[in-house]
Amino acid sequence: KDAQQAVVITRMVQDLNMPVEMHICPIMREPDGLAMSSRNTYLSPAERKAALVLSRSLQTARAAFKQGQRNADTLRQTVLSVLEAESLARVQYVSCADPSTLEEQSGLISETLISMAVYMGKTRLIDNTILR
């Protein structure tokens, strides 16, 4: 579920010409949409319910992108607005970055990796999606 880590390791394998084949898989999610993580066990029932805001914010960005929104700053703000509406969420960051280089994007884009880190209580959760 850590897209940034997958990009860095893929680049390392390429740069070092390592005989390794990378298989990057979709995020495994709970039935309600929360990204699967061992950290989820640290969430209280209220925090667990509130944590659904992460996947909800990504779904909102995906819908905006599907409807033609191509401004990275607007997409980032869309995600942030959904997250900030949840009182238990403390946003560490929301990023719209190039999916290949992880360079932060601004203005018009054709694709983006939206990623975030959000605290629910003491538990730091991450989630992401690629919009193409």
Side-chain angles (χ1 to χ4, degrees):
K1 112 182 116 37
D2 192 332
Q4 293 98 331
Q5 190 175 63
V7 171
V8 170
I9 292 171
T10 298
R11 181 64 186 259
M12 182 183 73
V13 165
Q14 292 169 350
D15 289 352
L16 298 176
N17 199 24
M18 298 175 78
V20 174
E21 190 174 327
M22 294 286 296
H23 293 279
I24 299 170
C25 302
I27 294 172
M28 299 293 294
R29 296 189 178 276
E30 301 287 348
D32 60 7
L34 185 64
M36 287 186 178
S37 172
S38 59
R39 295 179 187 183
N40 294 348
T41 61
Y42 300 122
L43 299 171
S44 71
E47 291 167 345
R48 173 65 176 74
K49 185 176 179 183
L52 296 177
V53 73
L54 278 75
S55 58
R56 195 166 55 249
S57 70
L58 293 175
Q59 290 168 357
T60 302
R62 181 171 296 287
F65 191 84
K66 196 172 188 177
Q67 293 173 2
Q69 180 55 257
R70 295 295 184 274
N71 186 292
D73 304 303
T74 302
L75 290 166
R76 188 181 302 104
Q77 187 56 50
T78 297
V79 170
L80 197 54
S81 295
V82 174
L83 293 171
E84 289 175 340
E86 173 51 64
S87 63
L88 295 181
R90 287 184 300 118
V91 178
Q92 184 178 21
Y93 72 83
V94 173
S95 169
C96 284
D98 181 287
S100 300
T101 66
L102 300 180
E103 184 176 333
E104 197 64 20
Q105 296 172 310
S106 186
L108 295 179
I109 47 103
S110 59
E111 65 178 358
T112 192
L113 166 64
I114 298 181
S115 58
M116 67 186 75
V118 178
Y119 282 91
M120 291 291 166
K122 294 181 180 181
T123 307
R124 183 177 183 266
L125 302 174
I126 61 173
D127 206 345
N128 66 77
T129 192
I130 293 178
L131 302 179
R132 292 192 163 97

